[in-house]
């Protein structure tokens, strides 16, 4: 089961990522733009997720994903760390959120991280 230290290690491995405390919790930012937080005493993460996908995730896997009341109007979803299969799944979730926040220059210079899907 991934833990908060795995979140830190993976998030900080992405280009131009920093950790900053905000709202009394660790947050992770790419080029200054937040893409993940460690709320709930570091037992979960909040990540960027388009609302349409977020709602589908929550319906499909409610034991893993949920929407915090104060984030319902925003494109964020919570993920229970204990419900994740392994660090590979955590890395995929964090990488997707990183891509949504990263500026084009970073996406272009790190093609191995890919680009977010567009409709």
């Amino acid at each position: 089961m991934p833990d908060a230290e795995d979140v830190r290690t993976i998030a900080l491995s992405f280009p131009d990522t920093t950790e900053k405390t905000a709202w009394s919790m660790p947050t992770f930012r790419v080029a200054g733009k937040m893409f993940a937080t460690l709320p709930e005493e570091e037992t979960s993460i909040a990540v960027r997720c388009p609302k349409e996908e977020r709602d589908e995730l929550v319906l499909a896997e409610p034991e893993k994903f949920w929407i915090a009341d104060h984030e319902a109007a925003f494109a964020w979803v919570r993920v229970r760390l204990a419900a994740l299969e392994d660090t590979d799944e955590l890395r995929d979730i964090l990488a997707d959120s990183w891509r949504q926040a990263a500026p084009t220059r970073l996406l272009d210079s790190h093609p191995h991280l890919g680009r977010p899907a567009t409709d």
Side-chain angles (χ1 to χ4, degrees):
M1 166 185 82
D3 62 18
E5 204 49 45
D6 294 320
V7 172
R8 281 185 178 86
T9 300
I10 293 168
L12 292 171
S13 74
F14 299 133
D16 206 6
T17 295
T18 57
E19 181 176 347
K20 178 181 178 182
T21 300
W23 307 289
S24 301
M25 73 178 115
T27 67
F28 300 90
R29 299 160 190 259
V30 55
K33 194 170 181 182
M34 193 164 39
F35 72 92
T37 68
L38 264 168
E40 274 79 54
E41 296 167 357
E42 300 187 1
T43 61
S44 69
I45 56 174
V47 293
R48 292 175 172 269
C49 184
K51 287 183 184 177
E52 306 77 32
E53 292 176 28
R54 174 189 75 177
D55 295 342
E56 290 175 18
L57 285 172
V58 171
L59 287 173
E61 298 183 85
E63 72 287 349
K64 189 179 293 185
F65 301 101
W66 88 98
I67 302 166
D69 291 340
H70 68 280
E71 293 170 343
F74 305 99
W76 287 80
V77 68
R78 298 284 177 103
V79 185
R80 290 176 182 86
L81 293 175
L84 296 178
E85 292 178 29
D86 53 29
T87 56
D88 288 340
E89 185 178 20
L90 175 61
R91 180 179 306 282
D92 289 345
I93 290 168
L94 287 169
D96 186 55
S97 187
W98 181 89
R99 285 189 296 271
Q100 291 176 61
T104 303
R105 69 175 172 78
L106 284 176
L107 295 173
D108 289 345
S109 61
H110 299 281
H112 64 285
L113 289 170
R115 288 192 173 270
T118 57
D119 294 335

